[in-house]
Each structure stands twice: as C-alpha cells, then as structure tokens.
Amino acid sequence: MAIAIRKPQEIEKIKIPAQLVAKTLNLLKENTKPGITPIELDKMAEDFIRSNGGRPAFKGLYDFPNSVCISRNGVVIHGIPTNEPLKEGEVVGFDVGVEIDGWYGDAAITIGVGKIEEKYQKMIDVSREALYHAIENIKPGMRYKQISKLIEDYIVSHGFVPLKGYSGHGIGRKPHEEPQILNYVEGKANQGEKVKNGHVFCLEPMLCHKCGEPVLADNGWDVYCEDMEVGVHYEHQVAVVNNKAIILTQED
C-alpha cells in the first residue's frame, strides 16, 4: 500500500476544494427545511460549486447520477436525491465532493429537518463527537487501525454500532486513495500502515442503532443498516501537518 505524502504547497492546493465543500455543506444546512426536495438541494449545491470554480466530484463517479449524496432516515450513506419533499422530524445526511484543478475535497454532515427525536439527535452528536475525538488524537507514528479503534470505542461506548463494510479513505489527486480507514478494527490495532506527516485522508464515522450489517437498496446506491433504523454519517478531510491533524473541510 502506497500512501501519498503531500508537500505543504500541495496541501494548500487540496485545501481549496476542501473549503468549497465546507461552504457547500453550510449552504445545504441553511436551506434544509420542511417542504424542500432533495433534488432542489442537489441542484442548489451543484450550481454553487460550479459558480465557485469547482466541479461536483461525485457526479458520474462510479456512475452516481447526482452531485450530492442525500441520505434520508434509514439510509446511512450514498442516498440518491429524490423529488419527495422533506418532512419535519426527518434525519438527512449530505455528503459532498468537489474537484478543483485536479485536487479533491470531501466531507459530510447529518442534520435534522426541524425538530427531531432526542434519540436521533444523540446519534448525530455521537457521530460528530467520534470524528473530532479521533482527529484530536491523531499523531505521526500511530497506526491507522488505532484511529479505527478510537472511532469504534467511542461509538460503542455511547450505545451505537459502526456500519460495516464502508470506510474513510485517503484523498488528493483522486477522490478515493489509500489508505482505507474503517470505523472498526479488523485484526490487531497495533498492525498496519502508520500515519505520517503529509498524509491527507477522510474520516467518516457511520452509525447504526443495533446492527451494523449493511443492506444495499435495489437502486444500487442507498445503504441501510440491517436493523432498518435511522443511521447517521459525519466526515471531515484532514491533513497531518507538524505532527497533528488539521481539518481542511472546516470553514476558515
């Protein structure tokens, strides 16, 4: 496995699409309300990305038909936007990718539509907190599997389980590069590739309530938890610089 080590000037170039991802997610969050359709939000995001010099990285990627993965309620990730209006109390996730000058940015959030049930808000909070907990503890020399363990332990300690079979990933010249970073540990946590200064990657905790086995919908994209409960997803793109992880997909 060859994990690219990016020079400081390359990380600055990667930060440009990453910042546009952050701004696009903020736009979607501000406009998510009962009555609006995911297709409308998808178009809004695509227009915003293109008007700011970017290209929606997910559109056409592996034949994905839209610009944003919009995942509602039981769909955890890779949701295809529909024309069905959002309703009060729903849970919706947005996963955005942007390409500018051959460099890629990627991040995701999950939010409630209006007021949502307390148990769903707790799940969203735990997904976000698990992400930041892992980021705060990243340092060169640790194993990527140790990052996976940090995420898994945080999720499980709060009563949830990670979605199986899907992961975070390296990113830079391609939307998905090495390494693969699971949200749970396979094998021993003290084995495998080590984190180094110059590595750029995405961490993305994906949470289920009781069963983390994935179920793929007939459309070939929507991914559910096997328990068919609401699932959530959070993601940031980070770069390891001067012995710590800095978040690239957070608005300056």
Side-chain angles (χ1 to χ4, degrees):
M1 176 167 60
I3 303 172
I5 296 178
R6 303 297 181 188
K7 298 174 182 177
Q9 58 267 36
E10 291 179 314
I11 292 173
E12 287 302 310
K13 290 178 180 178
I14 295 171
K15 189 176 179 180
I16 296 170
Q19 285 289 289
L20 185 50
V21 167
K23 291 179 172 65
T24 305
L25 286 170
N26 191 50
L27 177 75
L28 290 166
K29 184 177 181 179
E30 289 176 348
N31 285 277
T32 296
K33 55 191 175 184
I36 196 166
T37 70
I39 284 291
E40 288 173 319
L41 290 168
D42 181 72
K43 185 179 186 307
M44 183 186 301
E46 178 171 354
D47 289 347
F48 181 75
I49 291 167
R50 293 191 186 280
S51 68
N52 282 278
R55 178 182 67 82
F58 296 163
K59 193 163 191 177
L61 181 67
Y62 315 125
D63 294 325
F64 187 76
N66 296 88
S67 296
V68 182
C69 297
I70 302 182
S71 305
R72 300 171 69 172
N73 298 326
V75 180
V76 192
I77 53 171
H78 302 164
I80 294 178
T82 69
N83 278 309
E84 182 183 348
L86 296 177
K87 301 179 182 66
E88 180 85 16
E90 286 193 285
V91 174
V92 59
F94 301 106
D95 192 351
V96 172
V98 168
E99 179 267 325
I100 297 177
D101 295 331
W103 298 99
Y104 286 84
D106 183 7
I109 59 173
T110 300
I111 61 175
V113 182
K115 185 174 177 57
I116 62 174
E117 290 187 46
E118 186 175 329
K119 64 179 181 179
Y120 298 146
Q121 187 59 56
K122 179 185 176 184
M123 199 176 196
I124 291 171
D125 292 343
V126 170
S127 179
R128 183 180 62 251
E129 290 162 5
L131 175 59
Y132 281 97
H133 172 66
I135 291 170
E136 289 165 4
N137 284 280
I138 290 171
K139 57 181 182 287
M142 73 186 300
R143 309 278 182 174
Y144 276 97
K145 284 187 177 182
Q146 290 175 307
I147 300 176
S148 298
K149 182 168 172 50
L150 285 169
I151 294 171
E152 181 179 26
D153 287 351
Y154 196 94
I155 291 170
V156 172
S157 70
H158 287 80
F160 302 107
V161 295
L163 178 70
K164 299 291 186 179
Y166 295 88
S167 66
H169 51 88
I171 184 172
R173 280 297 191 185
K174 298 178 181 178
H176 298 114
E177 298 179 348
E178 296 290 355
Q180 179 192 49
I181 310 166
L182 296 168
N183 296 306
Y184 53 93
V185 178
E186 286 187 339
K188 296 180 179 179
N190 63 349
Q191 296 178 341
E193 293 288 339
K194 292 182 179 181
V195 176
K196 296 179 181 179
N197 279 311
H199 283 184
V200 180
F201 51 90
C202 293
L203 300 179
E204 41 186 317
M206 307 163 196
L207 274 66
C208 302
H209 271 274
K210 301 170 186 174
C211 181
E213 293 300 323
V215 175
L216 186 63
D218 290 341
N219 65 14
W221 284 103
D222 297 357
V223 178
Y224 295 83
C225 303
E226 192 175 60
D227 57 24
M228 291 299 171
E229 288 271 8
V230 167
V232 304
H233 173 214
Y234 246 92
E235 176 183 12
H236 265 313
Q237 181 177 358
V238 303
V240 183
V241 178
N242 295 327
N243 300 320
K244 64 178 182 179
I246 60 169
I247 299 174
L248 302 179
T249 45
Q250 190 163 267
E251 285 195 71
D252 286 342

